[in-house]
């Protein structure tokens, strides 16, 4: 049918019609809130490049987790800032590490909220890389044991799901095996499967104090120019036992989300990363664009591209808006 028999505007005439034909519904149930846990009591350090985000001591993590649950957000993902760093990231898998204690506190005080932990070494190593450093290179296989130990210690602390973000080859299988051996076969793995080497992580590295002290992450994170390689990464992680596969960042990689959604039957997560958050906040602060509207448009676009869930620093704000509609 062609104009004038077909008129696309007919179904846009009022909000009722627009609602009825709307193809994508952003839902509070899609959102996962990232939080940064730090030692101390009553600490709430603002992160300058991420307005509205803070490094939080455990009492504030619990408070924010309560707020998230109250708004209907199903899950948080925890990152940790350890009191000290060393070459082998010992605080990443310490029994009384900050993430381990934060998990326990949230599971204890905010039952019903799903607690995911980011599994990586970069915030815990003195060199800031996501794996073990040998000379000037990152030793893949030597990193696997430490990553598995980290995931296991999170599970022992009560984590509901673990999310490896290191991009070492073979880590999903190693983590799956470590969890299964210790009776954690019920704990799912959300794998950062297609994680690109992105400058959009800039604000996060300030927030988590996790910038590499030499070199960069290009030998383990993906080249932004590659799409087919992302499918390969996802199929490897799927075969190793990933329960959810993630694309990260989200906005510059909507094509990757779309292709992965089409080609695989696993749930797809997308990480709306720190730089994506910072850009919107910065422009909104200057009055250059309407922050809340751009936020909802962005999250809807990520969902439309194929994401089943979205990790986003906007989670609380977006949930408030969605609940008020
Ligand atoms: C660490 C990690 C990073 C992010 C999540 N886990 C940064 C990095 O790889 O340097 C980025 C999150 C964000 O930018 O919001 N492996
Ligand atoms: Zn890392």
């Amino acid at each position: 049918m062609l104009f004038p028999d077909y008129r696309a505007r007919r179904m846009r005439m009022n909000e009722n019609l627009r609602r009825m034909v709307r193809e994508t519904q952003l839902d509070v149930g899609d959102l996962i809130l990232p939080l940064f846990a730090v030692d101390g009591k009553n600490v709430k350090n603002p992160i300058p490049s991420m307005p509205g985000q803070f490094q939080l001591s455990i009492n504030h993590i619990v408070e924010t987790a309560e707020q998230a649950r109250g708004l209907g957000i199903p899950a948080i993902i925890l990152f940790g800032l350890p009191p000290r760093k060393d070459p082998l990231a010992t605080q990443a898998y310490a029994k009384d590490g900050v993430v381990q204690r934060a998990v326990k506190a949230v599971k204890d005080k905010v039952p019903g909220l799903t607690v995911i932990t980011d599994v990586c070494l970069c915030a815990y190593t003195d060199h800031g890389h996501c794996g073990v450093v040998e000379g000037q290179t990152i030793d893949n296989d030597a990193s696997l044991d430490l990553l598995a130990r980290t995931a296991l210690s999170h599970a022992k602390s009560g984590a509901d799901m673990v999310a490896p973000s290191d991009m070492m080859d073979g880590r999903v299988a190693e983590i799956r095996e470590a969890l299964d051996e210790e009776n954690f076969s019920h704990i799912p793995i959300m794998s950062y499967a297609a994680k690109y080497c992105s400058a959009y992580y800039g604000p996060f590295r300030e927030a988590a104090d996790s910038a590499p002290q030499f070199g960069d992450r290009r030998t383990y994170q993906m080249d932004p120019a590659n799409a087919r390689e992302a499918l390969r990464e996802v199929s490897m992680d799927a075969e190793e036992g990933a329960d959810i596969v993630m694309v990260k960042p989200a906005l510059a990689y909507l094509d990757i989300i779309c292709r992965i959604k089409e080609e695989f039957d696993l749930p797809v997560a997308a990480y709306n990363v720190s730089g994506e958050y910072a850009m919107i906040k910065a422009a909104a602060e200057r009055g250059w664009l309407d922050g809340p509207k751009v936020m909802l448009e962005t999250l809807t676009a990520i969902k439309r591209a194929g994401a089943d869930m979205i990790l986003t620093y906007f989670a609380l704000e977006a949930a408030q808006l969605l609940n008020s509609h």
Side-chain angles (χ1 to χ4, degrees):
M1 255 210 303
L2 290 172
F3 176 83
D5 297 317
Y6 177 71
R7 287 177 181 270
R9 290 182 57 194
R10 272 187 207 123
M11 293 308 289
R12 298 179 195 145
M13 212 148 53
N14 61 54
E15 182 57 11
N16 281 337
L17 294 178
R18 289 190 296 268
R19 279 172 67 204
M20 287 192 287
V21 300
R22 191 159 291 149
E23 299 174 32
T24 305
Q25 300 288 345
L26 184 65
D27 191 272
V28 177
D30 305 327
L31 306 174
I32 300 170
L33 172 68
L35 294 174
F36 300 100
V38 67
D39 273 322
K41 179 92 186 147
N42 284 324
V43 182
K44 190 171 178 182
N45 293 331
I47 300 160
S49 54
M50 300 172 72
Q53 303 301 314
F54 305 85
Q55 297 171 343
L56 300 170
S57 55
I58 291 175
N59 61 309
H60 283 303
I61 292 272
V62 168
E63 222 171 76
T64 311
E66 262 161 12
Q67 218 184 324
R69 184 184 60 179
L71 286 164
I73 293 168
I76 60 171
I77 179 164
L78 289 175
F79 296 90
L81 286 104
R84 55 187 174 278
K85 302 171 189 262
D86 55 54
L88 293 179
T90 49
Q91 282 297 307
Y93 40 90
K95 218 176 151 182
D96 60 349
V98 66
V99 165
Q100 286 80 354
R101 281 180 286 121
V103 170
K104 276 196 195 94
V106 175
K107 287 314 294 176
D108 193 37
K109 304 217 171 75
V110 198
L113 185 73
T114 293
V115 178
I116 308 169
T117 56
D118 181 86
V119 174
C120 202
L121 306 181
C122 52
Y124 306 87
T125 50
D126 50 8
H127 46 70
H129 278 288
C130 304
V132 174
V133 165
E134 265 305 318
Q136 292 291 93
T137 62
I138 318 304
D139 185 336
N140 190 88
D141 297 10
S143 308
L144 298 180
D145 173 53
L146 302 187
L147 290 161
R149 273 158 76 171
T150 302
L152 185 58
S153 86
H154 292 170
K156 285 181 174 167
S157 306
D160 298 299
M161 190 185 306
V162 294
S165 67
D166 52 283
M167 286 299 277
M168 297 300 131
D169 294 323
R171 92 275 207 210
V172 172
E174 192 88 3
I175 290 170
R176 185 71 273 158
E177 194 186 342
L179 292 174
D180 290 355
E181 269 173 14
E182 304 260 354
N183 291 320
F184 291 107
S185 59
H186 58 291
I187 299 295
I189 300 176
M190 173 194 277
S191 150
Y192 288 66
K195 178 176 179 180
Y196 287 87
C197 189
S198 172
Y200 284 100
Y201 306 151
F204 174 95
R205 292 182 187 169
E206 179 182 52
D209 186 28
S210 65
Q213 297 304 299
F214 69 89
D216 51 47
R217 303 208 200 290
R218 279 185 287 189
T219 67
Y220 42 107
Q221 298 180 346
M222 284 185 60
D223 185 333
N226 295 356
R228 290 191 304 166
E229 189 188 355
L231 304 178
R232 183 77 193 136
E233 281 281 3
V234 168
S235 87
M236 299 266 293
D237 284 6
E239 276 179 40
E240 289 178 33
D243 299 281
I244 300 170
V245 289
M246 191 200 299
V247 176
K248 179 183 174 193
L251 270 190
Y253 300 87
L254 294 179
D255 59 323
I256 309 298
I257 296 172
C258 183
R259 286 175 71 168
I260 290 173
K261 184 57 172 275
E262 270 172 12
E263 300 210 16
F264 296 89
D265 53 11
L266 284 173
V268 178
Y271 202 138
N272 176 218
V273 299
S274 57
E276 302 173 63
Y277 177 83
M279 290 194 299
I280 293 175
K281 284 290 177 190
E285 270 177 8
R286 285 162 181 72
W288 289 354
L289 46 72
D290 182 329
K293 284 206 173 107
V294 171
M295 166 185 74
L296 287 182
E297 181 177 334
T298 299
L299 295 173
T300 302
I302 294 169
K303 180 143 189 217
R304 189 200 62 229
D308 297 293
M309 62 201 91
I310 306 171
L311 297 89
T312 179
Y313 304 99
F314 285 119
L316 292 172
E317 227 179 301
Q320 266 152 7
L321 269 184
L322 293 169
N323 289 336
S324 73
H325 279 182

